[in-house]
Amino acid sequence: MGSPSSASIRQNNLLFLIFIMIFFFYYIPDKISLCSNQSSVNPSVIPYKISSSISSLETPKLDGYFSFDDIDYAAKDFGNMYHVLPSAVLHPKSVSDISNTIKHIFKMGSTSQLTVAARGHSHSLQGQAQAHQGIVINMESLQGPKLQVHTGEQPYVDASGGELWINILHETLKYGLAPKSWTDYLHLTVGGTLSNAGISGQAFKHGPQINNIYQLEVVTGKGEVVTCSEKQNVELFYGVLGGLGQFGIITRAKISLEPAPKKVKWIRALYDEFSKFSNDQEHLISKNSFDYIEGLVIINRTGLLNNWRSSFNPKEPLQASQFISEGKILYCLEIAKYFNPNESDVMSQETESLLSELSYIPSTLFLSEVSYVEFLDRVHQSEIKLRAKGLWEIPHPWLNLLIPKNKIFEFAQEVFGNILTDNSNGPILIYPVNKSKWDNRTSLVTPEEDTFYLVAFLSSAMPSSTGRDGLFHILAQNKRILGFCSSASLGAKQYLPHYSTQEEWQAHFGPKWEVFVARKSTYDPMAILAPGQRIFRRNNLHMMLASRSRLISGKES
């Protein structure tokens, strides 16, 4: 056997260096364990300040209860890379349980270091819903008024922040209604997606989920229960939407509804040129032609079209059987049109007309007709299969980016041509949206251009692997992609952002940073909420504000 190549040695050194940097940064300040099944926090050595604060939690009167033992699950999430043990888990039965707990901590002031994180269906990626030696609130245990569907000219559903979107779908369908905008995976909580954005293939038409909310009930970092909307407590309303949990915990939401279809025409087709693929996507979102528009990047996939046959029918079976996908980078257009059975003929004619305007490879057109529920809940079927194989609860080093339209070709050339060359470790989503459908008053940050693309690298890392499907290789790959975005000045923004320093967060928010900090100082001045985002630190916010105030005063003088 020959000696390792210098390129291999450099790669190993790079991965080792990345590991050391991640370990050093996260372990030293916050005792966070990267990709470990054991928390590095030992409850028996909790500092006195924390211990006394925890014992005082018996003071608030609760309808629910606290758990102090067997709470390791609260240190885990879907990302499965960060494991931070809390001191307690609150299982609220009422909104007042959440309010009284936060109010109690807030009144303790600087004598306490306790923080609070709301945990929905634990689908966070990098410990965002965890709280080091703090309190994790199990939002799914929140009880209160059941789902209430209101019909009329502006129908809506009134839902708990801990309710799953899949349950909202089933309940609203009883009234022939459904929310307008979705995520690709419905087993997520209302509060969780609204704290980020909630994006899927309907976003080009209706905007993200946060654009389809009439009213919120929020518990602030002071423990106040506040009802807010675009006409009432406006600043809090827009701050909480896409606010990463920094200003309040969403306990209820009134979500806009529309008439629900019964059936979906589901279509896939392949392209071998990115320019044709992106041009067709942009053409379709400009026409509001379909009800759902997404796309996929497929790298060196064997037997791709044969795999599709389990769910789709080829338009040209013989030609499809002869298509070779191995060794190619292909781009898949995925579109859907909603309809009711009595509209089938009209829908088919409209679909054929629209497809005739596109430049996909003819032999790769596949079609299917499924129920509306089957289409929306499609990812859950994949979850069931992956759980059966033991491949669901593994590390998921996902990277989600928003790329301006005028830079997407440059991005695709570098990333799909040079960085990802052999294969991918999971789906790569890519599709454009119209910024005109997104409300700029929310806390969500998007590129400045009118049209931008969501590019989502939904990687899965094989446990214990040190190869291309291992965690540190994928993390290094993500770092290369982010490095290119920065060096090429693409104007990209992270969706579901994750940063290490406040300077990076400030750069991420850009002109919105001052407003973001002002909202934080108003609604969570002790920085009690959502510590896992690592934007502000407990009791340090007031010092940062004071420092900034002195700086401004010095400039004015």
Side-chain angles (χ1 to χ4, degrees):
M1 181 186 298
S3 60
S5 69
S6 58
S8 174
I9 293 172
R10 285 197 300 271
Q11 183 182 33
N12 290 337
N13 288 342
L14 174 62
L15 296 179
F16 179 75
L17 179 59
I18 291 170
F19 170 78
I20 292 298
M21 290 174 67
I22 294 173
F23 183 85
F24 177 82
F25 183 84
Y26 288 114
Y27 184 83
I28 298 301
D30 290 315
K31 292 186 171 60
I32 293 171
S33 173
L34 177 63
C35 209
S36 166
N37 291 325
Q38 301 294 326
S39 170
S40 59
V41 180
N42 184 346
S44 65
V45 293
I46 293 174
Y48 173 75
K49 270 191 175 184
I50 297 291
S51 181
S52 60
S53 297
I54 289 297
S55 62
S56 74
L57 291 176
E58 298 174 2
T59 303
K61 184 179 179 181
L62 301 175
D63 299 313
Y65 63 95
F66 279 103
S67 290
F68 300 95
D69 301 312
D70 300 322
I71 56 175
D72 287 0
Y73 67 90
K76 298 177 182 178
D77 59 22
F78 180 71
N80 204 21
M81 294 183 290
Y82 298 87
H83 302 280
V84 179
L85 193 68
S87 292
V89 174
L90 171 64
H91 303 268
K93 286 188 177 180
S94 64
V95 174
S96 63
D97 284 354
I98 299 172
S99 171
N100 290 338
T101 298
I102 295 175
K103 193 175 294 182
H104 175 74
I105 297 171
F106 179 75
K107 287 181 177 178
M108 294 173 71
S110 58
T111 62
S112 170
Q113 295 293 318
L114 283 178
T115 55
V116 175
R119 184 179 194 266
H121 208 55
S122 67
H123 209 72
S124 296
L125 296 172
Q126 289 141 332
Q128 287 94 336
Q130 299 175 25
H132 176 222
Q133 296 186 348
I135 310 300
V136 169
I137 300 177
N138 177 14
M139 294 299 294
E140 288 188 276
S141 74
L142 180 62
Q143 298 178 4
K146 293 184 178 180
L147 285 168
Q148 301 173 12
V149 179
H150 297 257
T151 59
E153 287 187 12
Q154 289 189 319
Y156 66 89
V157 59
D158 189 350
S160 165
E163 192 64 76
L164 297 181
W165 285 98
I166 184 64
N167 296 335
I168 290 175
L169 173 62
H170 288 304
E171 183 64 24
T172 56
L173 283 177
K174 295 175 184 177
Y175 300 82
L177 300 168
K180 300 173 182 176
S181 193
W182 297 96
T183 54
D184 287 325
Y185 178 66
L186 302 189
H187 296 251
L188 305 171
T189 60
V190 168
T193 65
L194 296 185
S195 295
N196 290 283
I199 305 174
S200 186
Q202 305 86 5
F204 79 96
K205 191 172 187 178
H206 297 293
Q209 289 180 321
I210 58 175
N211 270 47
N212 295 277
I213 304 300
Y214 290 139
Q215 182 177 289
L216 297 172
E217 178 187 76
V218 174
V219 180
T220 71
K222 298 177 182 178
E224 299 168 339
V225 182
V226 182
T227 299
C228 55
S229 68
E230 60 180 9
K231 296 180 180 179
Q232 179 185 10
N233 297 307
V234 178
E235 197 69 22
L236 180 61
F237 179 69
Y238 288 115
V240 167
L241 293 171
L244 307 177
Q246 293 301 302
F247 315 119
I249 295 173
I250 297 171
T251 50
R252 292 202 75 80
K254 291 184 178 179
I255 304 160
S256 174
L257 302 176
E258 67 176 358
K262 296 187 181 300
K263 301 281 287 181
V264 175
K265 187 77 170 183
W266 188 7
I267 303 166
R268 285 180 179 172
L270 293 177
Y271 296 72
D272 54 12
E273 292 182 34
F274 182 79
S275 59
K276 289 183 179 180
F277 166 72
S278 59
N279 286 340
D280 278 0
Q281 282 190 317
E282 291 167 18
H283 168 69
L284 290 176
I285 70 166
S286 70
K287 296 184 66 169
N288 275 348
S289 50
F290 287 91
D291 297 289
Y292 164 97
I293 298 172
E294 287 198 7
L296 293 155
V297 182
I298 300 168
I299 302 174
N300 192 22
R301 188 77 59 84
T302 301
L304 174 65
L305 297 190
N306 283 334
N307 294 336
W308 283 7
R309 289 175 185 269
S310 61
S311 302
F312 296 84
N313 297 313
K315 180 79 171 179
E316 300 178 2
L318 179 60
Q319 290 88 337
S321 65
Q322 296 171 350
F323 183 81
I324 298 173
S325 58
E326 293 92 330
K328 297 179 180 178
I329 297 178
L330 298 168
Y331 307 96
C332 171
L333 176 67
E334 183 172 59
I335 48 183
K337 197 164 186 64
Y338 304 158
F339 68 102
N340 291 312
N342 63 333
E343 304 164 338
S344 181
D345 291 342
V346 175
M347 179 278 300
S348 295
Q349 291 173 9
E350 290 179 351
T351 300
E352 282 215 23
S353 176
L354 289 167
L355 290 174
S356 69
E357 300 172 5
L358 306 180
S359 302
Y360 56 86
I361 302 170
S363 62
T364 66
L365 180 63
F366 277 62
L367 306 97
S368 179
E369 288 187 13
V370 296
S371 73
Y372 185 55
V373 172
E374 186 180 350
F375 174 72
L376 290 180
D377 201 29
R378 61 198 180 280
V379 176
H380 183 55
Q381 301 309 309
S382 299
E383 175 190 356
I384 293 171
K385 294 175 184 177
L386 289 170
R387 283 189 183 278
K389 296 178 181 178
L391 295 176
W392 185 256
E393 295 181 355
I394 60 176
H396 295 96
W398 287 9
L399 176 64
N400 295 270
L401 299 172
L402 304 176
I403 309 292
K405 169 187 166 181
N406 69 346
K407 299 289 186 179
I408 192 63
F409 188 75
E410 182 180 354
F411 176 88
Q413 275 191 314
E414 175 63 22
V415 174
F416 307 134
N418 295 323
I419 297 177
L420 302 176
T421 53
D422 298 326
N423 55 51
S424 60
N425 291 289
I428 303 173
L429 304 183
I430 181 167
Y431 55 91
V433 294
N434 297 313
K435 190 170 184 176
S436 61
K437 304 292 185 179
W438 299 50
D439 197 321
N440 192 48
R441 292 171 291 181
T442 68
S443 292
L444 179 67
V445 178
T446 63
E448 295 180 2
E449 197 169 341
D450 291 339
T451 301
F452 55 87
Y453 280 73
L454 171 72
V455 187
F457 301 88
L458 309 183
S459 303
S460 299
M462 294 299 102
S464 304
S465 173
T466 58
R468 289 182 174 273
D469 59 353
L471 177 61
F472 293 108
H473 174 80
I474 299 172
L475 288 175
Q477 195 169 261
N478 289 349
K479 186 176 180 181
R480 282 188 66 191
I481 294 170
L482 289 171
F484 169 71
C485 290
S486 177
S487 62
S489 301
L490 299 187
K493 293 293 182 182
Q494 284 192 38
Y495 174 59
L496 307 178
H498 172 71
Y499 296 101
S500 303
T501 68
Q502 198 168 85
E503 289 74 22
E504 289 174 314
W505 279 111
Q506 186 170 349
H508 170 76
F509 283 103
K512 283 191 171 185
W513 175 247
E514 293 296 323
V515 173
F516 196 83
V517 172
R519 285 172 173 169
K520 185 70 171 178
S521 65
T522 300
Y523 302 112
D524 185 23
M526 302 296 291
I528 292 170
L529 301 177
Q533 297 285 0
R534 302 178 188 89
I535 304 174
F536 304 100
R537 290 190 180 276
R538 180 78 162 93
N539 291 331
N540 283 355
L541 177 61
H542 68 284
M543 289 188 288
M544 185 189 79
L545 292 171
S547 175
R548 190 179 63 157
S549 178
R550 287 194 298 271
L551 181 63
I552 293 172
S553 298
K555 287 181 178 179
E556 290 177 347
S557 61

